[in-house]
Amino acid sequence: MTSVRQVQVTFDCAEPERVARFWCEVLGYELQSAGFACVDPTGVGPRLYFQRVPEGKVVKNRVHLDVRVGTGLVGEERLAALEAECARLEALGAKRLWLQEADEDNESCLTMQDVEGNEFCLD
């Protein structure tokens, strides 16, 4: 049996190059020459590929990315990190949706949308 060694995450979108450029900025990835894929310059993270589809997004996506900016942080320090990253991403065209505040089981996270409305979390 063959082992999987790499994973690519593929996004359906209307404007692949625009969405790819957004995610490269978010993650510090590099745009591949074709313009529709982002790669981690360290080679550690998965490749992201953006494919053009004719239909628009109509419901919440069933898979989303968590952008881990608050790892190891709690309370006000975590919220400050999430808010700072949220402001940076809004300047790139992302939209803030809602803040899920910490409870007994989970730390706070912030749900956002990318430039085409795909949900992702700042975690």
Side-chain angles (χ1 to χ4, degrees), residues 20-33:
R21 287 184 185 284
F22 171 82
W23 280 104
C24 284
E25 287 291 324
V26 170
L27 301 173
Y29 275 31
E30 296 174 349
L31 193 64
Q32 283 196 320
S33 59

Side-chain angles (χ1 to χ4, degrees), residues 21-58:
R21 287 184 185 284
F22 171 82
W23 280 104
C24 284
E25 287 291 324
V26 170
L27 301 173
Y29 275 31
E30 296 174 349
L31 193 64
Q32 283 196 320
S33 59
F36 294 170
C38 298
V39 294
D40 181 351
T42 68
V44 175
R47 180 178 191 256
L48 304 181
Y49 181 73
F50 303 88
Q51 65 184 8
R52 186 180 318 276
V53 296
E55 69 278 359
K57 181 178 175 302
V58 293

Side-chain angles (χ1 to χ4, degrees), residues 106-120:
N106 300 295
E107 285 296 332
S108 297
C109 71
L110 186 55
T111 302
M112 301 187 73
Q113 288 179 327
D114 73 9
V115 294
E116 282 203 1
N118 299 299
E119 293 88 5
F120 67 96

Side-chain angles (χ1 to χ4, degrees), residues 94-113:
K95 179 181 177 186
R96 178 192 185 111
L97 294 181
W98 65 84
L99 174 67
Q100 178 182 334
E101 296 192 31
D103 59 25
E104 301 81 36
D105 299 318
N106 300 295
E107 285 296 332
S108 297
C109 71
L110 186 55
T111 302
M112 301 187 73
Q113 288 179 327

